[in-house]
Amino acid sequence: MSVSALPDNQIPPPSGTVPPRRRRRELNPPAAFAALAVVFVLFMAASSAPSPLYVVYQQRWDFSATTLTTVFAVYVLGMIAALLVLGALSDHLGRRPVLLSAIALEAASMAVFLVADSVSLLLVARLVQGVATGAAMTALGAALADLNPAHAPHRAGLVTGAAPTFGLGLGALGCGILVEYGPHPTRLVYVLLLAALLPAAAAVAALPETSLRRPGAARSLQPRLKVASHLRADLLRLVPILVASWALGGLYLSLGPSVAAGLFGLSSHVVGGLVVTLLTVPACLTAIALRGRPVSHTLALGAGLLLAGTLVALTGIEADSLLTAALGTVVAGVGFGASALATFGTLARMAAPSERGELFSVAFVISYLSFSVPAVVAGIATTHIGLHETSVAYAATVAFLAALALLAQWLRSRQAPDRGTCPQT
């Protein structure tokens, strides 16, 4: 029996040991699941919080768009390195110690952000934050799948699909408001995030351990991308939509506030945060609204709306129409949410507990390479050919990728009907 199929009040003891007496401070499985969801949102909110600040840093330290997107990409570099090295570690040591270590690293990155007075320190902070987030994400995804309540076996997929988009939007908008109206614009958000990490650490320390300890932890640290052979075909089918959706997200989180200021003349930092929120909040709401729908339908819907929304936003940029660009962003956000729901929901249900850490690691590497590499290329292009031309070329490329994803899903649906459903509560 898999861990996710166990009743809510039953967590397996480590193999070969006498079942330990439940500690008073240990959370019961439903509370532990809720705590993990909140911690997931917190990590993602922290990751997007610097987005509205990039323009502030750029004005204070006078660096180029290439440097701006390099700061953005260093975070993803750290994340991918952690996914490659640490992705399977929680399958060997347990979810709790990996998550506690990730929270400690996240707190260290917040401390560096607080004292940052140069691009160099900003790069260090983002690199450490990337490592922390990468270590946390696979352990969080696997732990949520382990703790799935028996009466709603796909709930972990819903949280894993919705939490990133909700957290990204919350962090960007919250930071934008603090920068615009609060004191110490480049400090306050990090103080608040650092304070939020304290109860997060306490909650993780009280989690029941759901992953059986097994040998091979040191061997698992060798950088690799590994997926069990019986899972590879299903993962490959998800690659086109992963690339299209996360490439769009990378554009909005790296250059979105700059586009709002440079192309539409909107200098408010709240607007910079809203640019990200217009994409991510519809994505989160869509993931909730479409739970229980067949996976094939949801993937096709996601690809189609990504294509349509990107084309509408591109039209808005070309016509200098803020309303059209905003409408396209919302439509693309709905497509992003449908894509995340179906892809991560599929990942959550198709792997055994011992395979989940590695599988989520590979999926997140694909997602965040798509998230970062195009954004860095866009930053270099902005420096040399301009923001408008780069935005148009980037949006056109994302639209092309979305069309490929839609075609791939159509071909797959013709080959074999899909019987799976998206996560539901």
Side-chain angles (χ1 to χ4, degrees):
M1 178 182 293
S2 69
V3 174
S4 60
L6 293 172
D8 285 357
N9 60 354
Q10 184 180 350
I11 298 296
S15 177
T17 66
V18 176
R21 300 177 67 182
R22 185 179 293 278
R23 299 188 302 270
R24 283 189 177 182
R25 295 180 57 198
E26 188 172 282
L27 297 174
N28 61 44
F33 187 93
L36 285 167
V38 173
V39 172
F40 206 146
V41 170
L42 176 60
F43 266 95
M44 300 314 298
S47 73
S48 66
S51 290
L53 284 169
Y54 287 149
V55 175
V56 178
Y57 292 133
Q58 192 174 25
Q59 292 171 347
R60 290 189 176 186
W61 301 333
D62 192 28
F63 55 77
S64 67
T66 301
T67 301
L68 187 153
T69 51
T70 300
V71 172
F72 170 79
V74 160
Y75 161 79
V76 182
L77 177 64
M79 175 182 287
I80 291 174
L83 290 170
L84 291 173
V85 176
L86 306 176
L89 190 60
S90 73
D91 291 337
H92 296 272
L93 298 183
R95 317 300 187 202
R96 189 171 54 218
V98 173
L99 287 174
L100 286 173
S101 300
I103 290 174
L105 278 177
E106 185 76 10
S109 72
M110 295 298 106
V112 178
F113 274 121
L114 277 172
V115 300
D117 57 1
S118 66
V119 173
S120 298
L121 283 179
L122 197 59
L123 288 168
V124 171
R126 284 298 270 173
L127 180 63
V128 174
Q129 187 182 38
V131 173
T133 307
M137 287 183 72
T138 52
L140 284 167
L144 285 164
D146 294 343
L147 287 166
N148 252 339
H151 65 276
H154 300 299
R155 186 174 291 175
L158 175 62
V159 173
T160 309
T165 52
F166 178 74
L168 289 172
L170 179 65
L173 181 59
C175 181
I177 293 172
L178 290 174
V179 172
E180 187 69 23
Y181 301 112
H184 309 292
T186 61
R187 302 285 188 270
L188 180 59
V189 64
Y190 302 122
V191 171
L192 295 177
L193 287 169
L194 190 58
L197 288 170
L198 297 177
V204 169
L207 292 176
E209 184 52 74
T210 60
S211 179
L212 305 179
R213 294 179 66 90
R214 59 190 177 99
R219 195 180 309 114
S220 75
L221 297 178
Q222 297 176 358
R224 60 179 178 174
L225 288 175
K226 179 183 176 183
V227 177
S229 58
H230 65 281
L231 301 175
R232 291 172 189 166
D234 285 334
L235 179 61
L236 284 174
R237 294 187 186 104
L238 299 174
V239 168
I241 195 68
L242 282 171
V243 174
S245 57
W246 286 93
L248 183 66
L251 170 65
Y252 276 83
L253 265 81
S254 62
L255 291 177
S258 297
V259 170
L263 298 186
F264 294 106
L266 302 173
S267 59
S268 170
H269 299 295
V270 176
V271 172
L274 277 173
V275 170
V276 178
T277 305
L278 281 175
L279 181 78
T280 56
V281 169
C284 177
L285 296 177
T286 300
I288 295 171
L290 294 182
R291 65 192 186 278
R293 293 285 300 275
V295 170
S296 60
H297 295 172
T298 306
L299 282 173
L301 177 66
L305 290 176
L306 274 173
L307 174 59
T310 304
L311 290 175
V312 171
L314 179 59
T315 301
I317 292 174
E318 284 289 81
D320 196 24
S321 171
L322 177 61
L323 181 60
T324 303
L327 176 62
T329 299
V330 172
V331 173
V334 174
F336 194 173
S339 304
L341 172 69
T343 53
F344 287 105
T346 300
L347 293 171
R349 65 180 172 80
M350 75 186 196
S354 62
E355 300 166 332
R356 284 175 184 148
E358 288 183 339
L359 179 62
F360 276 98
S361 175
V362 173
F364 283 131
V365 166
I366 295 169
S367 299
Y368 280 93
L369 279 174
S370 307
F371 194 59
S372 61
V373 173
V376 174
V377 173
I380 296 171
T382 298
T383 302
H384 291 89
I385 66 174
L387 184 59
H388 178 272
E389 292 77 6
T390 300
S391 300
V392 170
Y394 197 124
T397 302
V398 170
F400 174 72
L401 291 171
L404 286 182
L406 187 60
L407 176 62
Q409 184 56 34
W410 178 75
L411 292 174
R412 179 175 179 267
S413 66
R414 286 175 59 87
Q415 292 173 357
D418 181 71
R419 297 179 182 177
T421 59
C422 291
Q424 54 190 329
T425 55

